[in-house]
Amino acid sequence: MWKILAFTAGVAIGSAAFAESGPGFSPVATEACLAAMTDSQDPTTCIGSSANHCMETTEGGWSTYGMSQCLDQERDYWDQRLNAAYKAVRASRKATEKEMADLGSAAPSQGDALKNMQRAWIAYRDATCDYERSLWGGGTGGGPATVSCLMYMTAEQALYLEADGLVE
């Protein structure tokens, strides 16, 4: 019982310190990293740059709560990019399908394939991150590990869809 109360008090103190201090999250570090990339470099190396900056510059940023907050904010950043990329790719595929139909093509639907791929990816991401959490055996590190997994996988998918050349 004391461990639960001590942990709860620690989270409350860590949460208050995190919320009241430092600059918090900004995507600037990630965007700067991506902007500096050359064609031969791997953009996935930029994933986590802003979350790490958030943890380093925010009081309480390296607490379990702080890490989860910084990682989740970068996950949200990548999720917004993913949604924009998906929307752009989907619109492009629909236009391509219309052109193909006008030509009398019986090619399979790219839009349907994209939608099915994305749905399968969501299930894969969720199962992978559930497994990641299980590796922590119920410990407090499971929360940040799960959010980190979600952030990395979401970022990788966003970059994959953006690489289609339709999103700048």
Side-chain angles (χ1 to χ4, degrees), residues 55-154:
M55 289 181 264
E56 292 167 358
T57 60
T58 304
E59 184 180 339
W62 288 107
S63 68
T64 303
Y65 178 80
M67 286 187 288
S68 292
Q69 292 299 305
C70 291
L71 291 164
D72 193 48
Q73 290 174 69
E74 184 163 337
R75 183 216 45 83
D76 187 52
Y77 163 78
W78 285 110
D79 190 55
Q80 290 174 27
R81 285 182 65 148
L82 172 65
N83 289 330
Y86 178 80
K87 184 177 179 181
V89 173
R90 184 122 169 101
S92 173
R93 296 302 166 249
K94 283 186 177 186
T96 300
E97 286 179 7
K98 181 176 177 348
E99 289 175 22
M100 297 299 284
D102 290 346
L103 294 172
S105 172
S109 169
Q110 293 179 7
D112 289 346
L114 174 68
K115 181 174 60 176
N116 292 337
M117 180 270 303
Q118 191 66 8
R119 286 180 178 169
W121 172 79
I122 290 168
Y124 173 73
R125 178 205 59 197
D126 291 349
T128 299
C129 294
D130 285 347
Y131 174 70
E132 180 71 25
R133 183 178 193 92
S134 77
L135 297 175
W136 288 83
T140 59
T146 302
V147 179
S148 178
C149 177
L150 291 167
M151 178 194 66
Y152 274 94
M153 293 191 77
T154 301

